[in-house]
Amino acid sequence: MLTGEIPFSKFEDWAVHFKVAAGKLKLPIPETCPGEIKSLLDSIWEHDRKQRPAFSSIIEVLEDISQTDFVNIAQQDFLRMRQAWQRELEEIYLDLQRKEVQLNQREEQVKQQQQEIEQRQNSLQQEKANLHLEQKELSNLILELCMVVISQRKTGLETKHHAHNSPPN
């Protein structure tokens, strides 16, 4: 608005729409912008529409601004200010782009970490299932061993019993 540039022109439309609708993005206002205009723009761009000023209030503020020295600024000075605002906004947009790239990279890292966690969980579940099978096999082997021992004792007892009850030769 101050610079005559298309806002967020270097960003994807869907991303801008989403961020603006979510209240996470609004047009930046250059630091060197006159305070009255900055306040007006902040209030107009308030995310909560109930907090935005009525048109009658906007007109009053614009009339007040029209009475200040700002409107009497020489065109050459205004053009210099406008160029400074454009440079400042360009820096803000570049910073936003860098942050967007960093955010995308971080999202990819998080996705990758989630996949690694899922793989670890699957591996642990498989190990747990394998351990359960090994425990069953071990239990079966112990049971078989017990049965062999019992069988051998029984056979040993029967042999002793026959030896006692058998007539001597």
Side-chain angles (χ1 to χ4, degrees), residues 21-43:
K24 296 182 185 261
L25 181 66
K26 65 179 181 178
L27 289 173
I29 302 170
E31 291 296 319
T32 56
C33 178
E36 303 88 358
I37 295 174
K38 184 174 176 29
S39 294
L40 177 63
L41 292 174
D42 273 335
S43 65

Side-chain angles (χ1 to χ4, degrees), residues 4 21 28 41 49 52-53 65 81 102 131 133-134 140 142-143 149:
L41 292 174
R49 62 188 169 111
R52 295 178 197 150
I65 291 172
M81 280 178 34
Q102 290 172 347
L131 184 60
L133 287 175
E134 289 174 5
N140 287 338
I142 291 172
L143 184 59
V149 168

Side-chain angles (χ1 to χ4, degrees), residues 18-154:
F18 176 77
K19 290 177 183 179
V20 168
K24 296 182 185 261
L25 181 66
K26 65 179 181 178
L27 289 173
I29 302 170
E31 291 296 319
T32 56
C33 178
E36 303 88 358
I37 295 174
K38 184 174 176 29
S39 294
L40 177 63
L41 292 174
D42 273 335
S43 65
I44 290 171
W45 295 338
E46 179 65 43
H47 181 68
D48 182 359
R49 62 188 169 111
K50 294 177 184 171
Q51 299 297 318
R52 295 178 197 150
F55 281 105
S56 57
S57 298
I58 294 170
I59 290 170
E60 285 178 26
V61 172
L62 289 173
E63 286 174 350
D64 290 345
I65 291 172
S66 72
Q67 301 302 314
T68 65
D69 291 336
F70 179 72
V71 293
N72 296 326
I73 194 168
Q75 185 170 359
Q76 209 51 355
D77 291 337
F78 178 76
L79 291 176
R80 274 194 292 277
M81 280 178 34
R82 185 175 173 184
Q83 288 174 343
W85 292 338
Q86 287 171 331
R87 285 190 301 274
E88 186 178 342
L89 291 176
E90 183 65 30
E91 282 300 314
I92 291 170
Y93 290 142
L94 288 173
D95 188 49
L96 283 174
Q97 285 176 321
R98 282 190 292 272
K99 287 179 181 177
E100 184 176 35
V101 167
Q102 290 172 347
L103 180 62
N104 289 337
Q105 289 172 342
R106 184 66 185 131
E107 284 176 352
E108 280 302 314
Q109 288 173 345
V110 168
K111 284 179 186 177
Q112 189 173 19
Q113 288 172 345
Q114 286 174 333
Q115 288 174 345
E116 289 172 5
I117 289 170
E118 285 178 22
Q119 288 173 349
R120 287 183 197 145
Q121 286 175 336
N122 291 338
S123 177
L124 285 173
Q125 286 176 346
Q126 185 62 42
E127 287 180 27
K128 185 178 177 181
N130 290 343
L131 184 60
H132 184 68
L133 287 175
E134 289 174 5
Q135 285 175 333
K136 275 185 168 182
E137 288 176 18
L138 183 59
S139 294
N140 287 338
L141 287 173
I142 291 172
L143 184 59
E144 284 180 36
L145 181 60
C146 288
M147 292 177 76
V148 167
V149 168
I150 291 171
S151 175
Q152 286 178 347
R153 284 189 181 166
K154 186 176 178 184

